[in-house]
Amino acid sequence: MQIKSKFLIAGAIIALIALTSMQGYLTFNTFDLRKKSFAVDSRTKIGDIVKTKYVDSLSWHYRMDFVDKIPDYKRNRISKEELLADLKFFANDRNDEFTEYFNKEAERLGLNENILFKKVASSIQLIDENGNVENLLIEDKDSPIFLIGTDFLLEEGLLINAWNWTFDKGFINDNHQLESVTVKYRASIYMKIVDWDKIIFKQLLFLFLIAFLLFLFVISLVTYSIRNLFKHKRISDIKTDFINNITHELKTPLSTLSIATKTLTNRFAKDNTDIAKESIDTINRQNKRLQNLIDQVVDNSLGYNDINLNLEQVSLPDFINEVCDDFALTLPTNIQFLRDVEVNDTEVEIDKFFLGTAIINILNNAIKFDGTVLKIKYNITNNMHTIAVSDNGIGISKKNKKLIFDKFYRVSEKNMHTYKGLGLGLYYCSQIVKAHHGLIDVESKVKEGSTFYIKIPVENGKENFIS
Ligand code: ADP
């Protein structure tokens, strides 16, 4: 069972990790796909905006203004830098007009407002009549000239498209001759998606939320199931322990009974009244022992609701002293029993029989679990009558402290037969204390000893202190 549940838990954890990784992978993929499809969609919309007659004619105009300046350059009236600056100026001069158009169209087509557009001149060549090529602007070497749109860094943008345009320009050179020059011009368009991840994240927020909640749900489900498995295993272990214990307890009286009955049935015993009497005494004793065992199981299994208290006003210091006097009479000589009972005149409503049983149970446990020095202390602290029973016995580990008040719980299987018991004593004590609206608790250190506390409210019965 133990190996099986270990495998089950390991399997559940591995499945959970696999599921989480898969979910993470799928979520990441969905995010990536959405990002790409958003870019494609935006690109198409930008294409629809800029591939129009209006933008063509706008571009045509600044390009022609630029071409008209080429003769000045050829005739050395202006430098290359001035010529290129002119191109930039002619285009930029129309940018406001373009931006207004772009924004209007973007709104019409539902293009996200975080998408920026930019058009640049990336390469310009002048080829003379003899085929000599002069590079005014070299692609990927010189920085492109910003024409229209928003001037963002090209590294932050995505290239959408590029066009080549060729034009022959004739002019009269300094020698008064007609000369022709071919202009080869290349323009590229880019887009930039500002806060791209944020936009997609916002779009997928609902999906992420559902995925996260599902993940939480599965984690809680697995944790709950594992906890339940442990709980059931613990209960099943406790029950097995109990059955083993009770069987062990029953064995001795039963075998003694069997021997006694055999002796009685023996013809020799029938004639011998002494032997017969001895056997009958043994039978009676074992019968009583069996009866006690059964009573112990039945009575000690009672829940606090089933305990019928016969309440009476009692002075607790006097009552504790009475219980201790009786207990001290039964003590072996090797046990030291100390008392520190604070006297007061507060009376409290208790059932003497039940509360006495609880205190004696705890004192008996102190001896059973190897205590040689026992101390009982009583005082009123924080408006509670506090009875503390300490011992220097084997102590209880932190893990077990929480469990020892559970029905049938016993600490170690190994020690089961060293320390006899059914695991009902402390459960019974806790139910008795609960029935008195009190609290029971323990402080302990392994190998050093334990202190059990019974606390009964001073105003007993009027307030409910059940934990
Ligand atoms: P039982 O004594 O029959 O085992 P109890 O309900 O009285 O059952 O106690 C439950 C468990 O708590 C015990 O098996 C023991 O391990 C632990 N325990 C109780 N009292 C002490 C004590 N004084 N010192 C150490 N362990 C104790």
Side-chain angles (χ1 to χ4, degrees), residues 365 368-369 391 395-396 404 409-411 421-423 425-426 450 452:
N365 269 353
K368 181 159 87 177
F369 295 102
D391 66 62
I396 303 157
I404 52 169
Y409 190 81
R410 309 199 68 232
V411 169
L422 299 174
L426 285 181
S450 317
F452 284 83

Side-chain angles (χ1 to χ4, degrees), residues 129-261:
E129 288 160 340
N130 302 325
N132 295 323
V133 179
E134 184 186 1
N135 283 311
L136 294 183
L137 191 71
I138 303 173
E139 189 158 19
D140 297 331
K141 188 171 166 246
D142 299 324
S143 35
I145 298 169
F146 167 63
L147 300 172
I148 48 172
T150 312
D151 195 8
F152 52 81
L153 285 175
L154 281 190
E155 304 84 81
E156 294 173 357
L158 303 166
L159 178 67
I160 299 181
N161 217 336
W163 287 280
N164 290 317
W165 181 75
T166 311
F167 190 82
D168 288 332
K169 173 75 181 168
F171 64 97
I172 305 293
N173 66 17
D174 284 343
N175 300 330
H176 306 288
Q177 286 170 334
L178 182 68
E179 195 179 321
S180 163
V181 61
T182 304
V183 185
K184 277 197 165 186
Y185 171 103
R186 186 175 167 80
S188 309
I189 58 172
Y190 291 84
M191 75 169 179
K192 177 184 172 182
I193 309 175
V194 182
D195 291 333
W196 197 356
D197 286 344
K198 246 193 209 165
I199 297 172
I200 307 300
F201 187 77
K202 260 192 201 162
Q203 286 182 357
L204 294 177
L205 191 65
F206 185 67
L207 188 89
F208 287 155
L209 209 77
I210 297 279
F212 181 68
L213 287 180
L214 266 176
F215 173 70
L216 275 191
F217 178 70
V218 173
I219 289 258
S220 326
L221 210 71
V222 171
T223 321
Y224 176 76
S225 310
I226 291 176
R227 275 186 168 197
N228 241 6
L229 201 78
F230 275 124
K231 196 173 153 194
H232 280 116
K233 198 183 144 345
R234 194 166 65 79
I235 292 172
S236 137
D237 285 353
I238 287 173
K239 280 187 181 158
T240 316
D241 283 357
F242 174 73
I243 292 167
N244 288 345
N245 285 337
I246 196 108
T247 319
H248 186 79
E249 295 288 316
L250 288 173
K251 251 186 200 161
T252 326
L254 281 176
S255 52
T256 321
L257 269 177
S258 144
I259 294 166
T261 349

Side-chain angles (χ1 to χ4, degrees), residues 245 296 361-362 365-370 391 393-396 404-406 408-412 419-428 444 449-450 452:
N245 285 337
Q296 199 188 337
N361 264 351
I362 292 175
N365 269 353
I367 301 173
K368 181 159 87 177
F369 295 102
D370 296 351
D391 66 62
I394 59 170
I396 303 157
I404 52 169
F405 298 103
D406 287 357
F408 302 131
Y409 190 81
R410 309 199 68 232
V411 169
S412 168
Y419 306 107
K420 280 186 186 174
L422 299 174
L424 280 168
L426 285 181
Y427 167 77
Y428 192 40
S444 186
S450 317
F452 284 83

Side-chain angles (χ1 to χ4, degrees), residues 5 21 37 43 57 73 86 108 128 157 174 186 210 213 216 271-272 299 310 332 342 383 388 428 436 457 464 467:
S5 44
S21 324
S37 95
R43 196 179 163 149
S57 103
Y73 170 67
D86 279 344
R108 189 178 67 80
D128 67 14
D174 284 343
R186 186 175 167 80
I210 297 279
L213 287 180
L216 275 191
D271 303 336
N272 190 328
D299 294 345
N310 186 10
E342 189 183 276
N383 232 15
Y428 192 40
H436 283 84
N464 193 355
S467 57

Side-chain angles (χ1 to χ4, degrees), residues 66-85:
F66 164 67
V67 167
D68 288 345
K69 281 277 171 184
I70 290 176
D72 284 351
Y73 170 67
K74 278 297 200 183
R75 289 197 298 255
N76 292 324
R77 304 279 190 280
I78 54 172
S79 67
K80 178 177 130 185
E81 285 71 29
E82 282 168 326
L83 176 67
L84 294 179

Side-chain angles (χ1 to χ4, degrees), residues 274-287:
D274 284 348
I275 293 180
K277 191 179 167 302
E278 204 179 299
S279 297
I280 290 167
D281 284 350
T282 312
I283 291 173
N284 277 336
R285 263 201 319 277
Q286 296 310 322
N287 203 8

Side-chain angles (χ1 to χ4, degrees), residues 337-393:
F337 184 38
L338 310 167
R339 259 190 254 183
D340 176 7
V341 179
E342 189 183 276
V343 181
N344 59 52
D345 44 12
T346 328
E347 291 209 323
V348 64
E349 266 200 336
I350 57 156
D351 182 308
K352 284 169 89 173
F353 169 74
F354 281 113
L355 200 63
T357 309
I359 297 171
I360 297 286
N361 264 351
I362 292 175
L363 284 167
N364 277 333
N365 269 353
I367 301 173
K368 181 159 87 177
F369 295 102
D370 296 351
T372 49
V373 182
L374 275 52
K375 184 175 177 187
I376 187 162
K377 188 175 172 188
Y378 162 79
N379 58 22
I380 295 180
T381 29
N382 298 332
N383 232 15
M384 297 284 245
H385 294 278
T386 307
I387 305 162
V389 178
S390 313
D391 66 62
N392 60 341

Side-chain angles (χ1 to χ4, degrees), residues 280-327:
I280 290 167
D281 284 350
T282 312
I283 291 173
N284 277 336
R285 263 201 319 277
Q286 296 310 322
N287 203 8
K288 218 170 154 188
R289 193 168 160 188
L290 281 175
Q291 192 59 50
N292 276 342
L293 210 62
I294 289 160
D295 286 350
Q296 199 188 337
V297 175
V298 175
D299 294 345
N300 292 9
S301 295
L302 290 179
Y304 70 98
N305 277 328
D306 306 315
I307 298 173
N308 289 320
L309 296 182
N310 186 10
L311 293 172
E312 51 188 307
Q313 288 283 345
V314 169
S315 150
L316 261 189
D318 291 349
F319 167 70
I320 290 166
N321 276 325
E322 273 168 32
V323 173
C324 290
D325 287 344
D326 291 349
F327 179 73

